[in-house]
Amino acid sequence: MFEAHSQTIQTILREADIIGPDTLAAAWAEHAATGRSLADIVTAGGSIGREALLARVAEYLQTELVSPLPEYVAADLAAQLTPEQARTYGVVPWRSAGRRLDLLALDPFNDRITEDLTFALGRDIRLLVGDPAGIAALVARQYGADETAAAAGLQDIQPEEFKTEAAGLTPHEIAAMAEQAPIIRFVNLVLGQAVRDQASDIHFEPFEHEFKIRYRIDGTLHEMAPPDKALALPIISRIKVLANLNIAERRVPQDGRIRITLAGRPVDLRVSTLPTQFGESVVLRVLDQSTLQLELDQLGLPPDVRPGLEEIIRRPNGIFIVTGPTGSGKTTTLYSGLRAINTPDLKLLTAEDPVEYEIEGIMQLPVNPGIGLTFATALRSFLRQDPDVIMVGEIRDLETAQVAIQASLTGHLVFSTLHTNDAAGTVTRLIDMGVEPFLIVATLEAVLAQRLLRRICPHCKAPHRPPPALLAQAGIADGGTPGFYRGAGCRHCNHTGYLGRRGIFEWLRLTEPVRELVLARAPTATLRQRAVAAGMRTLRDDGLRAALAGETTLEEVLKFT
């Protein structure tokens, strides 16, 4: 409840003086450590009743609390909003009087809802407070779940109106195309569908004879019903307008950001455009704070890895590196570690490219190489800010590595990432960059390599025996082996057999035997063999453990390890 407004809830509770300062401080510490909303923590713990908290929120916002909520509102009242508006902003009409329209809102703190709907409806909008869970259910009952809204939205657009050569259009004409109501509606529906399906990325791809829109869900791309090729320019121009990009410039890549309200909550979209032969390709990274899981308990760490990680992130100094390819969850793991140690007695600083999620209590700096603000320069500035823990988004070069080592040697704990195939490869990558082995031995404490594998859908999970060739590839004897599983495909998983993802991990602690090999500049294979002999479980082994436990398939394990 009110996940994006814990700071405001803290202010409301402090001013109301209902909860003792010690109890409130403990609840805030739990929020900082786990990421749970402060409202949920204090109501679940019995410090204040849910109804009483909602009443205080209404009083703070100088508005009205509606309780209990009805099953439905009158049809003529519901018709004041389109289904798209109700679902996008998470609102239901409650009262209409002259020019004023009162709305029950999932997020009554969100001023953007008032601004947008005042402009769209030409009415004076007031947001009312109600139980968010009840309002979400009321929106779904009153306006439907909108499962195929984006595809249906294509029916409102006449492609013939947009069949023109982009080269002959002025920026004003392109902007006018992007502002047409059917285009605006369709783009909003595509974005809303992506958030509901928990997509991580949205791809808009123009080809010679078609225009594709694809969502990346659980690491795999899924294509939606393609719009007409003539709609590529207005749709992409609409996205560029939202991201405050130059719509007239189609020759060079551009980057931007969109902040939009979808399903009643604010969502950030990171926008990247790329000029191609047949028009601009656009990719949107969906940064939905409400779906982010930033608790160590939710990472799925093996029981033998978790204690070691807990010990490392609470050390006073040293370097901890998470490694893996793009999209393997490295940043989420580091954020979770930072959240676990984010207490008032520590100062935490991060340098990121870009800042993906805002975390209360942590100073976060977006690097900008274009103006000379690189990871290395950011780290040097950090050392003058009296930090305890520093996170640098990625060690990309020798300069950044050297400053990170300097920070560690001067009493700071440094978190970072690298792109290597496994944990042992991190050491040889640092040496290849030019870092002296004795400095690695003196500062590097541990490396965590990870991948994300798709989970088998629990709704259609069934026993499965992989082909002998796959078993042989995994090094498993064909005969008498434990059973594997796979998803048969159902509506819950969009007939893919997979629903959600889980991590697999490889934990390398730099013990004395490993440090000796590092000093001797031993190759990656030798380091890996020594670590395995000391008890390290490789990514392949951890993946097989997950497959034998029925959490993923053997095919996924062999694909990513």
Side-chain angles (χ1 to χ4, degrees), residues 181-515:
I183 297 296
I184 293 174
R185 188 179 308 116
F186 177 72
V187 170
N188 287 343
L189 290 171
V190 169
L191 301 183
Q193 189 75 43
V195 171
R196 278 191 298 278
D197 291 345
Q198 297 189 11
S200 61
D201 302 89
I202 314 168
H203 295 245
F204 297 84
E205 303 167 320
F207 294 93
E208 183 175 9
H209 301 296
E210 59 183 344
F211 177 45
K212 291 184 178 181
I213 299 178
R214 298 193 287 175
Y215 298 144
R216 188 176 295 279
I217 302 171
D218 295 337
T220 303
L221 286 170
H222 301 269
E223 187 173 354
M224 65 165 283
D228 190 279
K229 176 67 168 68
L231 301 179
L233 179 61
I235 288 174
I236 288 173
S237 298
R238 174 61 187 166
I239 295 168
K240 292 172 72 174
V241 167
L242 290 171
N244 293 316
L245 300 179
N246 185 352
I247 60 173
E249 179 57 78
R250 297 187 296 276
R251 301 166 300 172
V252 297
Q254 298 185 65
D255 294 302
R257 199 156 190 159
I258 298 172
R259 292 192 172 220
I260 194 170
T261 298
L262 295 168
R265 62 180 185 264
V267 176
D268 279 1
L269 302 165
R270 203 168 72 215
V271 183
S272 172
T273 72
L274 183 71
T276 70
Q277 183 180 4
F278 300 109
E280 284 181 289
S281 170
V282 177
V283 176
L284 279 62
R285 168 63 58 89
V286 182
L287 305 174
D288 185 359
Q289 190 88 31
S290 67
T291 63
L292 187 65
Q293 305 293 339
L294 293 183
E295 298 180 42
L296 288 176
D297 289 337
Q298 296 169 334
L299 293 179
L301 293 166
D304 55 337
V305 171
R306 172 73 183 272
L309 177 59
E310 290 266 16
E311 190 266 327
I312 287 295
I313 64 175
R314 287 177 167 80
R315 291 182 65 86
N317 60 280
I319 298 177
F320 167 50
I321 292 178
V322 181
T323 186
T326 301
S328 60
K330 300 187 299 297
T331 303
T332 299
T333 298
L334 289 181
Y335 276 165
S336 300
L338 290 173
R339 259 265 175 78
I341 60 174
N342 183 17
T343 54
D345 59 323
L346 292 178
K347 178 159 185 175
L348 282 63
L349 296 173
T350 75
E352 304 172 56
D353 183 19
V355 174
E356 294 198 4
Y357 294 99
E358 298 167 4
I359 305 177
E360 293 180 29
I362 298 178
M363 305 294 291
Q364 296 173 270
L365 171 70
V367 301
N368 187 348
I371 60 171
L373 183 57
T374 63
F375 282 126
T377 54
L379 272 176
R380 286 197 181 91
S381 298
F382 282 180
L383 295 178
R384 296 189 290 272
Q385 290 284 313
D386 188 30
D388 295 290
V389 182
I390 296 170
M391 182 186 111
V392 54
E394 184 184 347
I395 295 177
R396 294 177 176 171
D397 50 41
L398 176 60
E399 184 183 12
T400 306
Q402 288 174 332
V403 181
I405 288 170
Q406 177 189 349
S408 172
L409 292 173
T410 52
H412 304 87
L413 180 62
V414 181
F415 293 177
S416 191
T417 71
L418 265 179
H419 291 281
T420 60
N421 290 328
D422 59 10
T426 298
V427 174
T428 50
R429 174 65 59 84
L430 290 172
I431 293 174
D432 289 344
M433 282 183 183
V435 180
E436 291 295 335
F438 74 88
L439 291 175
I440 297 175
V441 167
T443 57
L444 185 62
E445 295 293 338
V447 181
L448 182 70
Q450 65 182 69
R451 300 287 189 277
L452 289 177
L453 307 186
R454 290 182 292 174
R455 286 184 183 273
I456 298 172
C457 175
H459 304 283
C460 58
K461 181 177 175 180
H464 168 64
R465 184 164 189 80
L470 276 181
L471 292 172
Q473 187 179 344
I476 299 174
D478 186 11
T481 58
F484 291 90
Y485 294 83
R486 70 174 176 184
C490 64
R491 64 180 181 85
H492 297 283
C493 60
N494 199 24
H495 301 283
T496 62
Y498 297 98
L499 188 62
R501 289 192 288 179
R502 62 148 293 152
I504 57 171
F505 303 93
E506 180 176 290
W507 176 250
L508 172 63
R509 186 69 188 267
L510 266 75
T511 58
E512 284 307 315
V514 173
R515 293 178 193 274

